[in-house]
């Protein structure tokens, strides 16, 4: 009889206690994190991820700024006549062409055009005749003879971007 009183009155109360207290009571007793602690940990992780993302964005901004500054300082004043060996919409191709020309011993440089393209020049010459002679020499150079078109650009045409 005593067992039935316990089972009838105390067991339902115990079950109600567990239901109203939720799993946090049991988790706390077992040394596991409670729902409040889990929420705090999630919030801390979210804040940490936002901070890391902000740091990465700042680093990218600084790197981009440094790259732009280096590119602007590397841009030479466009004057005279230039022997053009390539014109590219994709600037990475212009970079590769400039490097290839410098490796071949030419004083190559990039000239940005107003239409968004980038020309690769073998350097600035004061006289048109000197540019034509360089163009003829380049067309015989086996290291770059595979380029279909090589031409002379006069800075006075004003197709390039000014600094």
């Amino acid at each position: 009889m005593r067992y039935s009183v316990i089972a009838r009155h105390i067991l339902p109360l115990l079950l109600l206690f567990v239901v109203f207290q939720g799993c946090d009571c049991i988790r706390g007793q077992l040394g596991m994190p409670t729902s409040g602690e889990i929420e705090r940990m999630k919030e801390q992780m979210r804040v940490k991820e936002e901070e890391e993302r902000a740091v990465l964005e700042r680093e990218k901004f600084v790197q981009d700024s440094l790259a732009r500054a280096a590119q602007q300082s590397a841009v030479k004043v466009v004057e005279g006549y230039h022997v053009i060996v390539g014109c590219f919409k994709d600037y990475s191709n212009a970079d590769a062409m400039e490097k290839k020309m410098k490796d071949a011993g030419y004083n190559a440089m990039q000239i940005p055009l107003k239409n968004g393209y980038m020309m690769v020049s073998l350097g600035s010459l004061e006289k048109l005749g000197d540019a034509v002679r360089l163009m003829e020499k380049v067309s015989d150079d086996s290291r770059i003879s595979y380029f279909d078109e090589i031409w002379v650009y006069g800075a006075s045409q004003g197709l390039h971007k000014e600094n």
Side-chain angles (χ1 to χ4, degrees):
M1 171 137 151
R2 192 160 168 68
Y3 177 75
S4 66
V5 171
I6 293 174
R8 191 178 294 161
H9 297 291
I10 296 179
L11 194 55
L13 287 174
L14 184 61
L15 286 172
L16 282 174
F17 177 76
V18 170
V19 168
F20 285 120
Q21 290 297 316
C23 295
D24 285 343
C25 179
I26 296 171
R27 286 182 175 181
Q29 294 295 324
L30 295 175
M32 298 169 59
T34 63
S35 61
E37 292 170 337
I38 291 171
E39 286 303 315
R40 280 192 296 280
M41 286 188 283
K42 285 181 181 178
E43 181 64 19
Q44 289 172 347
M45 288 175 56
R46 187 188 62 76
V47 168
K48 185 177 179 181
E49 288 172 356
E50 285 179 8
E51 289 173 351
E52 290 173 353
R53 187 173 28 255
V55 167
L56 290 175
E57 287 175 4
R58 273 184 260 138
E59 288 175 358
K60 183 179 182 329
F61 176 78
V62 168
Q63 292 299 325
D64 290 347
S65 297
L66 290 173
R68 270 188 249 110
Q71 186 180 27
Q72 289 174 351
S73 67
V75 173
K76 299 176 184 175
V77 176
V78 180
E79 297 175 333
Y81 299 93
H82 294 263
V83 176
I84 306 299
V85 293
C87 190
F88 305 94
K89 184 71 173 177
D90 183 348
Y91 289 8
S92 63
N93 291 335
D95 292 340
M97 173 68 80
E98 179 185 23
K99 182 183 181 321
K100 189 178 289 188
M101 294 302 100
K102 285 183 176 181
D103 290 347
Y106 293 98
N107 188 25
M109 64 185 275
Q110 294 183 33
I111 303 173
L113 293 174
K114 291 176 183 175
N115 67 359
Y117 283 77
M118 183 68 74
M119 293 189 299
V120 178
S121 164
L122 294 183
S124 177
L125 300 158
E126 289 182 26
K127 298 179 183 177
L128 177 59
D130 292 339
V132 170
R133 281 190 283 287
L134 178 59
M135 183 178 70
E136 290 170 348
K137 176 185 168 197
V138 168
S139 63
D140 292 336
D141 189 339
S142 63
R143 293 173 292 185
I144 58 174
S145 63
Y146 55 88
F147 300 116
D148 293 335
E149 297 181 15
I150 300 174
W151 71 95
V152 174
Y153 170 71
S156 61
Q157 292 175 308
L159 302 174
H160 60 281
K161 290 182 181 178
E162 296 293 333
N163 289 341

